[in-house]
Amino acid sequence: MAFFLMTDPACFDVSYQINPWMRPTAWRPEHRAAALAASASLKAALRAAGAHVETIGAVRGLPDLVFPANAAVVLDGRVLMARFRHPERQGEEAVFRAAFARLKARGLIQEIVDLPEGVLQEGAGDCIWDADRRFFWAGFGPRSSKASVRVIARTFGREVVSLELASDRFYHLDTCFCPLAGGKVLYFPDAFTPKALATLREHIAEADRIEASAEEAAAFCVNAVNLGDKVIMARAPASLRAKLQARGYSLIEIDLDPFILSGGAAYCMTLRLDRTSQPQPAILAAE
Ligand code: ARG
């Protein structure tokens, strides 16, 4: 069963700017209520799709705690703790560490590992397990450092294919890259350096590539949670709905506008804890 971590959004707001989507002056108090509703809808959608969701409590002064994808890289019960680039988010590290310690005490994860000094890595936001290809894709540049790639490979004993991100708007890999069950990959080409794009295309057959348009990427639809044939995402342009439906996926769209004001959406509001490196059974079967 898919098992996700989410965070209570009670202390979410946009009060600083560490990516170009964040505009503290555009934040209104009424966005908080909308955020609570949006987060609850996402959680309900995950549960309706058969997933289990654990929730971490909110902490005042840490608005971006609502994006647990950035907390760690998790595979085979091993948790590699993140180190954030921006001081605004560094306070989250201790909160997530305590949450993982509680999960470990309950036997829900096995081991908590730290990055070496000086290495920056923003969790599953920049390191995505490809369940079909059975390796990690790691983004680096705007947030995670290039040195994180070797550390991930060493920590998990798995291949890591690294992709340099070229734009401040698509600052985490999960904003522009989303592997889907069955081997297809939804991605936004302009977010990558030419070298990264060549690497990506070397590893993904043309028939498996689904290119997102600038409009679809800006709607944060690439930042999606995939469970079997279901893709849970922010409200999508009709063009994307058509593309994914033509390939056999069904979209579950949620109004995540308050979180898009912070530069995040469905994928980064969650952290999947149950991924294993073992081969997974049937293509497109519900997980
Ligand atoms: N405001 C947050 C930041 O800039 C958003 C993080 C979104 N997370 C993600 N994995 N895309 O850090």
Side-chain angles (χ1 to χ4, degrees):
M1 192 205 242
F3 180 12
F4 292 94
L5 206 60
M6 285 186 70
T7 305
D8 179 341
C11 296
F12 173 67
D13 64 18
V14 180
S15 48
Y16 52 75
Q17 182 179 30
I18 56 170
N19 72 54
W21 308 93
M22 299 177 87
R23 286 182 301 116
T25 51
W27 179 262
R28 301 278 169 270
E30 54 272 25
H31 288 141
R32 176 73 60 74
L36 298 186
S39 173
S41 305
L42 176 60
K43 193 181 290 187
L46 292 168
R47 289 186 171 145
H52 177 77
V53 183
E54 284 278 324
T55 309
I56 303 181
V59 177
R60 196 163 304 137
L62 296 175
D64 281 340
L65 201 66
V66 296
F67 301 113
N70 297 125
V73 179
V74 185
L75 186 74
D76 293 330
R78 183 170 296 162
V79 174
L80 176 63
M81 293 299 306
R83 181 173 295 117
F84 287 92
R85 179 172 294 269
H86 297 291
E88 288 86 342
R89 295 200 66 182
Q90 286 164 359
E92 296 176 37
E93 291 169 15
V95 179
F96 284 127
R97 182 182 301 279
F100 288 120
R102 289 193 297 275
L103 291 169
K104 183 166 177 254
R106 290 166 59 200
L108 294 169
I109 56 157
Q110 269 68 59
E111 198 186 346
I112 302 171
V113 183
D114 284 302
L115 291 164
E117 273 318 298
V119 176
L120 302 174
Q121 206 289 321
E122 297 201 352
D126 260 339
C127 183
I128 302 178
W129 178 250
D130 188 323
D132 286 85
R133 295 175 184 80
R134 297 174 58 221
F135 60 68
F136 278 116
W137 296 94
F140 69 93
R143 295 291 181 92
S144 302
S145 50
K146 189 173 186 188
S148 67
V149 175
R150 299 193 285 287
V151 178
I152 296 162
R154 205 187 321 125
T155 304
F156 295 98
R158 309 299 310 184
E159 186 190 346
V160 181
V161 176
S162 68
L163 301 172
E164 185 172 8
L165 302 175
S167 108
D168 282 348
R169 293 178 81 224
F170 299 95
Y171 55 91
H172 281 137
L173 184 63
D174 67 3
T175 63
C176 54
F177 187 88
C178 182
L180 300 173
K184 304 251 184 288
V185 176
L186 175 64
Y187 71 106
F188 177 49
D190 292 7
F192 298 92
T193 63
K195 183 167 169 236
L197 208 48
T199 303
L200 184 157
R201 289 174 175 157
E202 250 163 54
H203 286 85
I204 305 169
E206 195 172 354
D208 285 332
R209 295 181 214 142
I210 310 175
E211 294 199 356
S213 66
E215 184 203 4
E216 293 157 2
F220 271 83
C221 291
V222 183
N223 193 261
V225 177
N226 172 227
L227 287 168
D229 64 350
K230 297 187 182 60
V231 192
I232 303 174
M233 61 170 67
R235 282 183 294 125
S239 53
L240 182 61
R241 210 172 296 136
K243 266 183 233 180
L244 289 175
Q245 282 169 356
R247 276 131 170 137
Y249 297 99
S250 67
L251 269 65
I252 300 170
E253 295 173 53
I254 300 169
D255 180 351
L256 297 174
D257 286 357
F259 296 98
I260 294 176
L261 291 175
S262 188
Y267 177 92
C268 53
M269 293 171 68
T270 67
L271 175 65
R272 192 154 172 188
L273 300 178
D274 62 296
R275 290 288 194 197
T276 69
S277 56
Q278 295 316 301
Q280 297 302 299
I283 292 172
L284 280 180
E287 289 161 68

